[in-house]
Amino acid sequence: MTANAVRPWWGRYLAIPFRERGRSWRGCDCRGLALLVLEEECGVHVPEPAELYGSTDPRNGAALADFARAQAALWRPAAVEPFAVLSFAVAGRPVHVGVAIDAQTFLHAQQGVGVRVAGLAEREPGETRWGERLLGAYRYAG
């Protein structure tokens, strides 16, 4: 890449630190990052109920999964392609999302790391490859 080359769209997100319940450039969790990317890159605003995390322990995957199921009608299945929101299982629970960069890589916010690029072929400690834990790819249609 030359000094004059254009930075890829996802490059500017790499400086964002992980912040539980974060929804801005100052810090994001995985869902916050997906919402920020959709808004900034695609002009798509996904409304989010203020009470989503209000009384919900963020480690309670069941409550977050219930919310995701309730929102399912607003999302349409898609291919793993740029800007599709990818849903992943972590420790067997559907609690993580990322944004596809292309068919093999995605952007996500990870606790203790911040925003980073990962590949579907990568393996996390104690887990199988991301691609094996991919539950689906979606586009917001609400």
Side-chain angles (χ1 to χ4, degrees), residues 12-24:
R12 67 189 188 129
Y13 295 90
L14 296 176
I16 299 174
F18 182 87
R19 182 174 168 206
E20 194 70 56
R21 303 178 190 159
R23 300 291 186 264
S24 74

Side-chain angles (χ1 to χ4, degrees), residues 54-66:
S55 62
T56 303
D57 182 331
R59 294 165 293 185
N60 184 348
L64 294 176
D66 287 344

Side-chain angles (χ1 to χ4, degrees), residues 36-126:
L36 183 64
V37 168
L38 290 177
E39 181 92 30
E40 293 285 325
E41 305 300 324
C42 304
V44 173
H45 176 71
V46 179
E48 184 174 45
E51 71 277 3
L52 172 61
Y53 290 118
S55 62
T56 303
D57 182 331
R59 294 165 293 185
N60 184 348
L64 294 176
D66 287 344
F67 171 77
R69 280 190 287 277
Q71 295 292 302
L74 302 176
W75 295 85
R76 300 286 181 253
V80 179
E81 59 191 11
F83 305 111
V85 174
L86 308 180
S87 174
F88 295 97
V90 174
R93 298 184 325 219
V95 295
H96 192 63
V97 297
V99 179
I101 293 172
D102 57 35
Q104 296 300 316
T105 57
F106 63 99
L107 189 68
H108 70 125
Q110 192 170 10
Q111 192 166 14
V113 177
V115 174
R116 73 180 201 92
V117 173
L120 293 175
E122 285 181 41
R123 182 183 311 267
E124 292 287 313

